Every structure is written in C-alpha cells, then in structure tokens.
Amino acid sequence: MAASSNAEQTQLQDMEEEDAGMEEREMESDEEEEEGMGVENSDEDEEDDSSEDEKENEAEIQRLEEQLSINAFDYNCHVDLIKLLKQEGELFRLRKARQKMSELFPLTEEIWLDWLKDEIRLTEEEPNREKVYELFERAVKDYICPDIWLEYAQYSIGGMGSPGGIDRVRSIFERAVTAVGLHMTKGQMVWEAYREFENAILSTVQPPPGRIPSREEQEMLKTQLERIHTLFRRQLAIPLMDMEGTYAEYEEWSEHGVPETVVHQYKKAVQQMEKCKPFEEALMVAETPKLAEYQAYIDFELKEGDPARIQITFERALSENCLVPDMWAKYTTYLDRQLKFKDLVLSTHERAVRNCPWTMGLWKSYLLALERHGADHQTVSDVFEKALNAGFIQATDYVEIWQAYLDYLRRRVDFSKESSKELEELRAAFSRSLDYMKHDVEERFGESGDPSCIIMQIWARIEALHCKNMQKARELWDSIMTKGNAKYANMWLEYYNLERSYGDSIHCRKALHRAVQCTSDYPEHVCEVLLSFERVEGSLEDWDFAVQKTETRLNRINEQRAKAAEKEANLARQEDERAEQRRKAKVEKKAQKKVQKGTRAGEKRKAEQDDYQDEWNEDAGPKRHRGNADQPTDEYMETETGLFGKATPPGYKPAPPATKKAPQGAAAAAPSAHRQNEDNPELRNDNSSVFVSNLAYTLEEPEAKLRTLFETCGPIKQIRPIFTGKGSFRGYGYIQFESPVSVPEALKLDRRDVEGRPVFVSPCVDKNKNPDFKVFKYNTMMEKHKIFISGLPFSCTKEQLAEISKNHGTVKEVRLVTYRSGKPKGLAYVEFADETQASQAVLKMDGIEVEGNKISVAISNPPRRNTIDKPGSSRPTGDAMPRQVYGARGKGRTQLSMLPRSLHRQSVPAGKVENGSAADGEPASAAGNAAGEPKQLSNSDFAKMLLNM
C-alpha cells in the first residue's frame, strides 16, 4: 500500500509540474505575440522584399533555362543557373541542372565538391548510399583532384559497418594513393588519412590490458601492424613536402626503429624532393593558370623519366589549364607512345575532347587510340559522330577528321573479297563525306575546305588499286576536274600517273591532250610530258599531232602573257603618274601653307623680321633695338648634329665669340645661361646624354623639375632646357650625365607622367651617322604573346587592367596608349609570359564589359609605320623647296623657315656667296657682280619685301 501511495503521489506531482509548464508556455506565447505586434510591419516589409527577390531569381532562372534550350554548350550559362538554384535551395532542380552540365562538360573541383556535399546531406534522409558512390566515381574521372579523393575515402568510412565495408574503404584508399599519392603538396594528407583509418582498425583488434589475446587475435594484430608499417614505408619512399615530420612520426611509432632499407629509400626521396623543390616554389608564388611554370616542371620530369611522376605532373597542370589543347595533346602523345595502358590512355583521350571539343587534333588522336587498342566499331563510329558535332573553327578541320575516319574504315576492309559489308560501308562513307562537305561545311564556312578534292583522290586511288575499278576512278577524276582543278598541271599529272599505273595508254594519251588544252599555270611542263610519252609509245602520226598541238597551245599562251604584261605595265605607269601627281599636290600644299605663315600681319611680322635680322647677323640700322647685331637673341636647339633651330641662309658665318655681348632684358636671361655649353661642343657628350620632349610649354622651372626627375638615374653634369628668343620654354631639352651608365636608367623613365603629360625620353644619336636608328621603341610586327585592347573607358588605369588580365595568365607589362597631352585613347597593350596565355586572354576577354564599355581584344599586330615624309626618307623634293639637312629628330616646329619661297635660292658653287662676306674678304655685292649675278639684297631689302607681301 505504501508503494502504491508513493506512486500515486509521484504521478500527481508530475501532472502538477506539467500543468505549470503549460501555463508558462502560454504566458511566453502571449508575450511573444505582444512583442510581435510592434515589429509586424517590419516583418511584412521583409517578406515583401524577399518575395520580390524570389520573383526576380525565378525569372532569371527561367531565362537561363530558355537560353540553354537554344544553346546547350553555353558553359557560363550552366554555371550561373547552378548558382541561382543553389541560392534558392531548389535541390532537385539543382541536381538536374548539374546532371545536364556534367553530360556536356567536365566539372571543376569546386562544382563537384559542392554537388557531392549536397548529395551527402540528402542521403542522410535517404538510406541509398550507392547513388553517392556512383557520383564520386564520376567525379574522380574528370580530373585527378586530391580533395575529391579524400572526400570519397572519408565518406566511405561512414559505411564501413556494412558487410564488406572495411574492404571497400581500403580499396578506395588504395586507388586514392595510386592516383594522387605522388602529389608533392597534397598527397601527404591522403596518406595520413589512410594511416589514421588503419590505426583506428588497430585499436579495435587490440585486446584490453591484462587479457592474453587468442591466437586468432594475435594474427589479426600482427597483420594490422604490418599494414601500418607498410604504409609508412611506402610514403617515405615518395618525395613529398614535410617528409621529415612523417619520418619522425614513424621513428616514434615503431618499436624496433626504422629499418635500413626504409632509411635508404627515404634519403633518395629527400634528394628527389630537393630537385623538385624549385619547381614547387615557383608554382606557389605564380598566379593562375601557371602554365609556364607547369611546362617547365613537365620538361624536368620528362628528362627524369619516372612515368608515375610525369603522369601526376601532367594531371596537376591540366587541373588548372584544362582549356589548353596543346597540353592535352602533349599528355595524350606521351601516354600513346610510352605507357600504352588501355584504360588510362582512352580515358585521358576522352577527357581531352570533353575539355577542348573544338580541337580537331584531339579527336583525331582519340580515333587512332581507339583503333590502336581494339575498340569495337560502334564505339569508334560514335566518337566520330560526336566529333562532327563538336563545332570546329575552320573548314579544313572537317576534311582532316573525315580523312582519319575513312582511313580507319579502309583498314577494316578485306580487299581479297570482291564484295563485303565493310567495303560497302567504306564507299557509303566516302559518298557521305562529299555530301557533308558540299552542304554542311560550305554553308557554314563558305568553302568546302577541300579545294584539291583530296578525299575524292583517295577514293579514286582505292578503287583503282584495291578494287580494280578504273571506271569508278575515272568518274571521280572527271568530277575533280569540273570543280575548278582543270587549270592546274599537278592535278592532270596526278590523274595521268593513276592511268599510267592502273589504266591503259589510250586513256593516258587522252588525259595528256586534255591537260595541254586546259592547263594555265605550267603549260610547258604538261607539253613536255606529252611529248615524252609519245616518244616512248606513240606512232609518227601521234608524234606529229602532239607537236602541232603543243606548239599551238604554247604560242597562244605566250600571246596571252605578253598582253597581260603590257596591261600590267600600263597599270603600273598610271599608278606612278597618280602617285607623282599626289606628291606634287602635297608639295604645293605645304608651300602654300608656308607662304600663308609668312604673311601674318602686324607686330608678329615685325618681330619675325627682327629675329631674322638677328640670326643673319647683319647691320639692322636704326630699327634694331633688341641688342647688338653680333648677338642673336633666338635660342638654338642643340642636337647631336649641332645647332638645330631656324635655318641660316647660305653664306652665313657666326661672329667671333669675342664680339658677342650679353642680351638685354629678362627675356634673354634663360637662353644665355645655356649658350656657354653650346659654344663649347667639347663639353658635350651624346653618349652620356638623353633627349627629353613633350613637356608642357607652361612648365615652371623646367631645369629644377628635370633634375628632380632624373637625379635618381645618376650624377648629372648639366641640364639644357631649350627656350625661345623671348624666354618661353619650348617643351624639350637635354640631360647630360657624368657617366654613360646612367643613360639606360634614364631611358626607363620614358612616358613618365610630368604634370599630366607623358615625358618622352630617348637617346641622343646622330642620325646622319646612324640613319637606321629608330626612336620608336615598340615592335611594329605581330607579337603573339601580347594582346591589343580597344574600347576601354578613359578612366581605366593600368592597375585595373592588370587586375582584369592576371586571371588569364602572367602579366609582364601593361601599357595604356595616350595622346601627347597625356589624355588616354581608350587603347592598351598587355604583355603575357607566352603565346598560349595571350591566346586564352583573347578568347576570354574579348567582348567583356569594363565600366560599361564593351572592349575588343586581339593579338597585337600593329600596322606598318608609314615612313613617307618622315625624317631621313628618300622622298624627292621639288626645285621650289630646297632640301635641308635635319637633325636627329627630324624637322621640328622650330625649323620652319619664315623666308618666302620666292626668296629661296639654289646653293651656289664654292667661291660664290649670297648675302654675306666673300671668302677673300671682299664685299658681297662685289663678289656677286664679279660673277655676273644681280645685286645682292640687304636685310632691310628683305624686310621691305616681307612687309609688302
């Protein structure tokens, strides 16, 4: 009774506690409702926003699905659809989208891992684990990725409790270490996971302390310990990162120490690791896709000759460069010629064409590998049909893939039988190939890709050689000739050789006569072959007919050639005349411009007159007021060839230095400061100087600015900024260093921004002594490792462009093209490490948007620079425009002569001078009169003529 009473009391207490709990929950619920009233409006707003986002995402999902229904091979569209579905949590639609993409493309490691993790979460609710195992099997076939193998092994450990589960886990781990155990940086984690699994098994077979194990338990314990020993030994024999830690762990774990054989293998592996370490370090610091670094690593391993290491290095390279056809081609070629393991070779070929389906060479190698390893006919035919639908980029690719398939079909035929199923299939394939070229290929590319009808020639030779069917062969050759090939001698000779080998002399003679009649490229050769044939096999009548026919044909050909040559000469003469007219018009136009510049009115003309008077160093009379007649006030531009400024008239001789006087006024102060060096050429050294131009005319204190810019290049001897006669800066100058060693460093500052303008820095070179010297430092030919980008926004910087480009390869240099004022043109050049990276950048960057601008990207192939009218060109000049000797930088703005064209005179022989002093000291007028020439004009005469124009 007491027990019953206690039970009832306990039950009563439980009921009271339950009631109290219910009351508390009701009170909490009421409080939550009251609190919720205050935030009800905000919750509704959030729900509205989320519903709008869901609608937008659903609309975008439908758009992507429609786009994929039109073009299932849009890789980026697949990726975007998967991201949206994952974001929306549509797991079943997501599974379907991933499935479709995996059927068309190999998936990246990231996509596979996301898919596998989602499927693993789903199988927690669904007991079917086999679907996940199948998915893992598909994942490890696309790329050899250590992370996927590790995930596979760890997932299999979860099923080790099922029958045969432990053996399955061991099998997966063995496949994993075989596939990725040699991976220098990530292989170690797979080995460690394998050892941890075996150590966990060891803990289950060890007997508890104090109990003597049975014989069976002792055998199991011994076997398990041996497994772990073997794993340590296998791992220590492989060069992997952090091998020292594994060796120390083995020393601590092993009761009897490390065997000598293991130590020896470990030391060899360490030596191998040291050899590979530079390549691994280069990969660590390189930016994706690291193609050049992987290529160097592969070349190293090929020289070492270890097949397993070569394979894993190729696989690592391809995991980051899966869209590089040359890498796949190199890998499959190695497997075809060296390893020759059927499963490995064929699976690699399949992965190659799935990654780069547009590359015909990979499909062709795949067909050959299938035949080489004895694949059934249906498999080869299926692969060929896939190749036809792969979308090659040129018509000739389809010709080559058809040739490869037809070669395969021909090798299947037993020609000892008159008729067979394989022979009929071969003929049907030839007929289908011709139809395919005519309809599919020509419609797509506008050409058949087989202008010489190679496929038909092969078919005709097979019919003649193997089938003894010359009638069919002749029909095929008739068709070949009607496709525009009758005018080529080599085509007729190919047909003649076929008739010579498998036909008769009647058809040989007929073929040669048709060749003589139709050939237009090498008729002499065809005629010679016909005459040689009749010499051997023909009668007198045949010989006479052949001679008559060849002579008639050759006479006609010579007439046609003469007419064509005459026509070509006339066209060339007309073109020369038009070019001469254009040249004269251009010369006249330039002369008119010079005359117009010389007719400027007012004070400017007066100032120019004074400048000329100063330059010519003549007595100016009462009008001269700017200084002594012996001291010119205009600045001379100093170049490699001497004074580079306004041209001096013939006969001009500078006054002796002793007669020069300092210029008056502040305007002449700056030029005079630099004339000391100009009057002492021995103080100048072009080998240690650079020419600086494109500076702003408004640049204040140019000497100080230039010194600040160039003083980092080395000790500066002098800086010579060039000024006008009025003291304004001309925008260029010269920097002379103490040593020529500083010049290369100074040239590196070319295009450096100085107050918003790119400064041009070039060497000082006398072009009269070095006519081939070019200031333009950039290549004008095609550069396959460099890309040209147009359509860039003007706000785009070098850093932004480098950031965009580095995703496609190693960027060595970025150059933005600007105007001389420094304003961008929207153009740029990006230089990559090699041609492959540049090609990939063109494929991936062309058409993308940068700040709303759609850019165009192509391989750099600048147009040839036009040298017409450039300094140093051999263009002739007219009599009215005397040829002048320009400096190293050609005709600059400061060289424009203001002298009217009508006043220019031809240079006079030695002993005759114009407007100057005679060599013998006589006055100019006397010298002129003695020579019988008209009276020479003085400076004042020139000034009057200028003012009266």
Side-chain angles (χ1 to χ4, degrees):
M1 290 292 292
S4 176
S5 175
N6 290 336
E8 290 177 358
Q9 186 176 0
T10 302
Q11 186 176 4
L12 200 61
Q13 290 176 353
D14 293 339
M15 291 176 65
E16 291 175 355
E17 290 176 359
E18 185 177 354
D19 292 339
M22 290 179 64
E23 291 178 0
E24 288 181 5
R25 285 194 293 272
E26 289 177 357
M27 292 174 65
E28 290 174 359
S29 177
D30 294 339
E31 291 175 358
E32 290 175 358
E33 289 180 1
E34 291 176 359
E35 293 174 359
M37 293 294 291
V39 295
E40 184 175 355
N41 293 333
S42 61
D43 291 341
E44 290 177 356
D45 293 339
E46 291 178 1
E47 289 177 1
D48 292 340
D49 293 339
S50 63
S51 63
E52 290 180 2
D53 292 339
E54 289 176 0
K55 290 179 181 179
E56 291 179 0
N57 290 340
E58 183 61 30
E60 180 65 13
I61 289 171
Q62 291 180 1
R63 186 190 68 79
L64 293 172
E65 289 176 343
E66 290 177 1
Q67 187 171 343
L68 288 174
S69 65
I70 298 172
N71 180 17
F73 289 91
D74 191 336
Y75 185 91
N76 293 328
C77 191
H78 281 284
V79 174
D80 294 340
L81 178 60
I82 289 172
K83 287 181 180 178
L84 272 178
L85 291 174
K86 184 174 178 62
Q87 180 180 340
E88 291 296 308
E90 297 280 352
L91 295 181
F92 293 101
R93 294 174 69 184
L94 178 61
R95 177 189 288 175
K96 187 178 179 180
R98 286 166 169 165
Q99 181 67 29
K100 285 185 177 180
M101 184 177 181
S102 66
E103 292 173 357
L104 298 173
F105 303 100
L107 305 185
T108 63
E109 180 180 356
E110 293 77 16
I111 295 178
W112 269 121
L113 288 174
D114 285 343
W115 190 0
L116 290 166
K117 290 175 182 177
D118 289 342
E119 293 294 339
I120 290 172
R121 285 195 293 269
L122 289 176
T123 54
E124 293 177 358
E125 303 174 1
E126 302 175 9
N128 188 4
R129 296 173 59 88
E130 291 301 322
K131 291 183 178 179
V132 181
Y133 282 119
E134 292 174 2
L135 198 60
F136 269 113
E137 289 295 331
R138 290 172 56 191
V140 296
K141 289 178 181 178
D142 275 356
Y143 302 107
I144 294 183
C145 299
D147 292 331
I148 294 179
W149 275 109
L150 186 61
E151 190 73 24
Y152 190 10
Q154 290 175 345
Y155 178 74
S156 66
I157 292 175
M160 61 184 293
S162 60
I166 294 179
D167 292 336
R168 187 171 195 169
V169 174
R170 284 198 178 109
S171 174
I172 292 173
F173 266 118
E174 282 296 329
R175 290 172 59 198
V177 296
T178 302
V180 298
L182 293 176
H183 196 294
M184 183 74 75
T185 56
K186 294 185 178 181
Q188 182 182 7
M189 63 183 184
V190 180
W191 285 103
E192 290 179 352
Y194 195 0
R195 288 205 316 274
E196 289 176 3
F197 166 73
E198 294 295 351
N199 277 319
I201 299 298
L202 177 64
S203 64
T204 62
V205 299
Q206 283 181 337
R211 185 173 70 82
I212 300 175
S214 62
R215 179 175 296 179
E216 183 179 354
E217 289 176 341
Q218 289 178 357
E219 289 294 331
M220 291 176 61
L221 182 60
K222 182 178 179 181
T223 302
Q224 192 60 28
L225 288 172
E226 184 60 30
R227 283 197 181 101
I228 299 174
H229 273 290
T230 302
L231 286 177
F232 269 116
R233 294 167 186 166
R234 289 168 63 188
Q235 182 179 354
L236 291 173
I238 298 172
L240 297 172
M241 289 298 197
D242 196 22
M243 293 185 63
E244 297 81 2
T246 305
Y247 184 80
E249 184 181 350
Y250 186 33
E251 278 186 318
E252 182 180 353
W253 184 85
S254 178
E255 296 178 355
H256 305 289
V258 182
E260 286 297 326
T261 56
V262 177
V263 173
H264 178 68
Q265 290 178 346
Y266 167 71
K267 290 181 179 179
K268 286 181 62 177
V270 171
Q271 292 176 356
Q272 183 64 30
M273 184 191 67
E274 292 299 325
K275 292 181 181 179
C276 300
K277 199 169 184 180
F279 299 99
E280 294 292 342
E281 291 174 349
L283 289 173
M284 290 179 184
V285 299
E287 297 180 356
T288 305
K290 312 175 185 178
L291 185 60
E293 290 77 12
Y294 274 121
Q295 187 61 61
Y297 204 168
I298 290 170
D299 293 339
F300 164 75
E301 292 294 354
L302 287 172
K303 290 179 181 178
E304 292 291 311
D306 186 344
R309 292 207 53 78
I310 293 171
Q311 182 186 354
I312 190 62
T313 309
F314 265 118
E315 292 290 349
R316 290 176 62 185
L318 289 168
S319 65
E320 297 189 56
N321 298 276
C322 59
L323 299 179
V324 180
D326 291 343
M327 184 68 73
W328 283 107
K330 191 172 184 178
Y331 186 27
T332 53
T333 301
Y334 171 77
L335 295 178
D336 287 333
R337 297 177 180 176
Q338 301 297 328
L339 296 187
K340 302 180 181 179
F341 297 138
K342 178 180 178 180
D343 293 339
L344 175 61
V345 170
L346 295 184
S347 64
T348 304
H349 276 288
E350 182 183 6
R351 290 160 54 208
V353 297
R354 290 187 68 205
N355 280 276
C356 305
W358 62 87
T359 308
M360 182 278 305
L362 297 178
W363 287 101
K364 186 176 178 180
S365 299
Y366 191 11
L367 291 174
L368 291 171
L370 288 169
E371 183 183 2
R372 195 177 293 120
H373 291 280
D376 61 272
H377 175 59
Q378 188 59 45
T379 301
V380 179
S381 299
D382 292 343
V383 170
F384 171 70
E385 295 298 332
K386 290 180 181 178
L388 289 181
N389 296 321
F392 298 144
I393 59 178
Q394 54 188 5
T396 54
D397 289 344
Y398 288 95
V399 178
E400 289 195 43
I401 200 66
W402 267 109
Q403 282 182 304
Y405 184 58
L406 292 169
D407 292 344
Y408 158 73
L409 293 178
R410 196 268 306 165
R411 288 188 285 266
R412 294 180 66 243
V413 178
D414 183 4
F415 290 103
S416 61
K417 300 178 182 178
E418 292 185 3
S419 179
S420 64
K421 179 182 176 182
E422 290 79 8
L423 179 58
E424 296 303 322
E425 187 176 358
L426 174 61
R427 285 173 171 162
F430 269 114
S431 298
R432 182 190 168 199
S433 68
L434 299 179
D435 292 338
Y436 189 89
M437 293 296 165
K438 182 178 181 180
H439 296 99
D440 297 69
V441 177
E442 284 190 10
E443 288 179 3
R444 179 178 174 186
F445 297 98
E447 59 170 330
S448 66
D450 190 14
S452 300
C453 302
I454 299 296
I455 292 177
M456 294 181 71
Q457 290 188 45
I458 295 172
W459 189 5
R461 188 165 290 276
I462 290 173
E463 292 288 350
L465 173 63
H466 296 292
C467 303
K468 307 298 186 286
N469 188 355
M470 279 302 298
Q471 183 62 34
K472 181 64 177 177
R474 292 179 184 123
E475 292 175 2
L476 290 170
W477 268 103
D478 285 340
S479 180
I480 291 172
M481 293 305 181
T482 58
K483 294 183 180 297
N485 292 300
K487 58 184 177 181
Y488 300 117
N490 66 316
M491 300 297 289
W492 284 108
L493 295 179
E494 185 70 25
Y495 174 42
Y496 164 72
N497 290 329
L498 184 71
E499 288 286 358
R500 193 76 171 159
S501 301
Y502 310 109
D504 51 51
S505 58
I506 296 175
H507 287 90
C508 287
R509 181 176 288 109
K510 187 184 294 185
L512 289 175
H513 279 283
R514 292 173 62 192
V516 170
Q517 190 67 29
C518 300
T519 300
S520 60
D521 56 348
Y522 297 105
E524 295 88 352
H525 185 50
V526 174
C527 292
E528 183 180 350
V529 173
L530 174 59
L531 294 176
S532 299
F533 174 78
E534 296 299 354
R535 277 195 178 95
V536 176
E537 300 192 17
S539 62
L540 179 59
E541 291 78 8
D542 295 332
W543 170 261
D544 291 339
F545 183 69
V547 170
Q548 181 182 357
K549 189 165 188 174
T550 54
E551 287 179 353
T552 304
R553 178 61 177 167
L554 290 178
N555 289 336
R556 189 181 305 162
I557 289 292
N558 290 332
E559 291 176 1
Q560 293 174 354
R561 288 175 178 173
K563 290 180 180 180
E566 184 179 359
K567 184 178 180 181
E568 185 176 351
N570 291 334
L571 291 174
R573 184 168 58 256
Q574 292 173 5
E575 182 61 30
D576 291 341
E577 291 174 356
R578 286 193 292 268
E580 182 65 19
Q581 292 174 359
R582 289 194 297 269
R583 185 190 66 77
K584 289 182 178 179
K586 196 169 184 179
V587 170
E588 292 176 359
K589 188 176 181 180
K590 285 187 176 180
Q592 291 175 1
K593 287 183 178 178
K594 290 186 177 181
V595 171
Q596 291 173 0
K597 289 181 180 177
T599 58
R600 294 176 183 174
E603 296 181 356
K604 186 172 182 179
R605 179 183 294 148
K606 203 167 186 179
E608 289 169 354
Q609 175 189 351
D610 293 341
D611 290 341
Y612 283 119
Q613 291 172 349
D614 292 340
E615 281 185 349
W616 296 338
N617 199 19
E618 294 287 342
D619 291 332
K623 290 186 179 181
R624 300 257 334 228
H625 59 274
R626 296 180 60 191
N628 189 281
D630 296 332
Q631 178 61 46
T633 57
D634 267 356
E635 175 62 52
Y636 290 80
M637 185 191 303
E638 185 67 35
T639 67
E640 301 78 16
T641 56
L643 293 179
F644 185 81
K646 297 180 179 178
T648 57
Y652 165 72
K653 289 186 178 181
T659 63
K660 295 185 178 181
K661 298 180 181 180
Q664 298 177 0
S672 63
H674 299 282
R675 289 301 299 274
Q676 297 175 1
N677 291 328
E678 293 175 7
D679 294 334
N680 296 280
E682 64 277 2
L683 298 178
R684 302 191 301 272
N685 184 0
D686 290 343
N687 294 330
S688 59
S689 302
V690 295
F691 177 69
V692 184
S693 61
N694 201 46
L695 295 165
Y697 297 139
T698 58
L699 185 67
E700 297 181 359
E701 298 182 357
E703 183 172 351
K705 297 285 178 64
L706 292 174
R707 184 174 297 278
T708 302
L709 178 62
F710 287 95
E711 63 185 358
T712 59
C713 304
I716 297 175
K717 187 174 183 179
Q718 60 175 328
I719 298 177
R720 304 197 303 277
I722 306 303
F723 297 88
T724 65
K726 299 178 182 179
S728 59
F729 182 46
R730 291 188 183 272
Y732 56 86
Y734 296 86
I735 314 294
Q736 184 174 344
F737 296 94
E738 295 288 348
S739 171
V741 179
S742 304
V743 172
E745 295 298 321
L747 294 176
K748 294 180 181 178
L749 299 179
D750 185 40
R751 311 278 172 164
R752 180 67 61 86
D753 184 83
V754 176
E755 295 192 3
R757 291 176 65 91
V759 60
F760 298 160
V761 185
S762 57
C764 287
V765 177
D766 187 350
K767 279 200 170 181
N768 291 329
K769 298 179 181 179
N770 300 277
D772 295 331
F773 175 77
K774 295 181 179 179
V775 177
F776 190 75
K777 68 177 183 178
Y778 300 110
N779 201 338
T780 58
M781 306 296 291
M782 175 178 284
E783 298 175 280
K784 295 184 178 180
H785 64 288
K786 187 180 293 185
I787 63 174
F788 172 69
I789 305 175
S790 60
L792 288 167
F794 295 151
S795 59
C796 183
T797 64
K798 290 177 63 175
E799 291 74 18
Q800 290 175 323
L801 194 55
E803 186 69 23
I804 296 171
S805 304
K806 74 177 185 180
N807 297 326
H808 311 295
T810 303
V811 177
K812 297 181 68 176
E813 183 183 5
V814 176
R815 178 167 67 92
L816 294 177
V817 183
T818 64
Y819 293 98
R820 294 178 68 91
S821 63
K823 294 182 179 180
K825 293 185 176 182
L827 310 175
Y829 291 90
V830 179
E831 182 179 355
F832 287 92
D834 53 42
E835 300 176 10
T836 305
Q837 294 181 9
S839 300
Q840 292 300 313
V842 171
L843 291 174
K844 296 179 180 179
M845 293 176 62
D846 186 36
I848 67 173
E849 288 193 359
V850 177
E851 297 182 7
N853 287 28
K854 187 175 182 180
I855 65 173
S856 297
V857 185
I859 294 296
S860 174
N861 188 17
R864 293 183 179 275
R865 291 175 61 82
N866 187 8
T867 58
I868 297 177
D869 295 336
K870 297 289 182 181
S873 67
S874 59
R875 176 179 174 175
T877 56
D879 294 339
M881 299 292 293
R883 189 168 185 268
Q884 300 179 12
V885 178
Y886 302 138
R889 293 191 172 268
K891 185 171 183 179
R893 292 178 60 186
T894 55
Q895 270 191 308
L896 293 177
S897 175
M898 301 303 292
L899 187 66
R901 185 177 57 180
S902 60
L903 300 184
H904 276 289
R905 298 182 183 273
Q906 300 294 331
S907 59
V908 296
K912 297 181 179 180
V913 294
E914 293 184 4
N915 206 25
S917 300
D920 57 358
E922 295 180 1
S925 59
N929 293 333
E933 299 211 358
K935 180 182 178 180
Q936 305 299 324
L937 301 177
S938 66
N939 280 353
S940 59
D941 295 330
F942 279 116
K944 292 177 182 179
M945 295 180 69
L946 285 169
L947 293 173
N948 292 331
M949 287 183 64

